[in-house]
Amino acid sequence: GPTERESAMPEVFVTLMYAAQERLTITTPYYVPSAAIQKALSGSANRGVDTTLIVPARNDSIVVAAASRSFYRELLVAGVRILEYEPGLLHTKSMTIDGVVTLIGSANMDRRSFDLNYENNVLIYDRDFTATMLERQLAYAADSKPVTLTDCEMWSLPRQFWNNSLAMMGPLL
């Protein structure tokens, strides 16, 4: 939280993303990343890691949803598969790495969780637990719609301006 050493939580997220060698699957309701998180996630896909980000199609905050979408293009160009979960607000905050490691808890992938809120995540090194968590993530993926680079390119200029303007307020969201 804000009274503890700065950046402990995002350092764990970034380290796990850089450690991934085969598969990285992330679910989060709020994706408004710092530059380090965005680069680590893009870097994972750029290295050839099967990288998937699952977020809600309909967020409970239109402001956060727009800000999140401003980061899609860079991720898609890097090779990240982005899926928007359709049935409702996906609120699971999880990351599975290479079928061995799971990170799960209360921290969203946004600067508010990393810098302002008190959050608690658990890092689990266990194949069986990670297999169960990945199974849940794949169930979310099955109920999701892929976002493509073409989708992003078809957004109107006002929508792109809206998304990017809100992303600049990321530390406040």
Side-chain angles (χ1 to χ4, degrees):
T3 59
E4 301 297 322
R5 182 178 71 85
E6 283 189 46
S7 75
M9 187 77 71
E11 284 175 6
V12 170
F13 277 73
V14 167
T15 299
L16 291 172
M17 288 180 209
Y18 280 122
Q21 296 177 354
E22 296 171 12
R23 182 181 215 165
L24 173 65
T25 306
I26 297 169
T27 58
T28 185
Y30 309 113
Y31 185 77
V32 185
S34 65
I37 293 285
Q38 181 76 352
K39 287 182 189 322
L41 190 53
S42 296
S44 173
N46 279 326
R47 289 191 325 276
V49 174
D50 177 6
T51 306
T52 303
L53 175 65
I54 307 169
V55 295
R58 289 176 309 281
N59 204 302
D60 60 346
S61 167
I62 61 169
V63 172
V64 171
S68 293
R69 289 184 176 111
S70 74
F71 296 97
Y72 283 10
R73 181 173 174 63
E74 180 181 348
L75 294 174
L76 290 165
V77 168
V80 175
R81 186 169 67 135
I82 301 173
L83 302 171
E84 290 187 336
Y85 180 74
E86 301 256 306
L89 177 62
L90 172 67
H91 207 255
T92 302
K93 297 120 181 175
S94 66
M95 181 185 306
T96 57
I97 302 95
D98 296 337
V100 179
V101 176
T102 298
L103 180 68
I104 188 166
S106 65
N108 297 299
M109 292 186 71
D110 63 7
R111 295 174 70 187
R112 184 172 207 66
S113 283
F114 294 151
D115 298 335
L116 299 174
N117 295 346
Y118 288 94
E119 303 289 359
N120 190 23
N121 278 29
V122 178
L123 182 64
I124 302 164
Y125 184 82
D126 183 83
R127 284 189 188 280
D128 292 337
F129 185 91
T130 300
T132 300
M133 188 67 239
L134 181 59
E135 186 178 313
R136 168 56 52 200
Q137 289 173 317
L138 294 175
Y140 295 144
D143 285 334
S144 299
K145 176 183 173 263
V147 178
T148 66
L149 196 53
T150 302
D151 293 332
C152 294
E153 290 169 351
M154 292 178 58
W155 291 339
S156 67
L157 284 177
R159 180 174 179 186
Q160 291 177 48
F161 179 77
W162 169 251
N163 292 351
N164 293 337
S165 296
L166 292 172
M168 288 188 298
M169 296 188 326
L172 305 173
L173 300 179

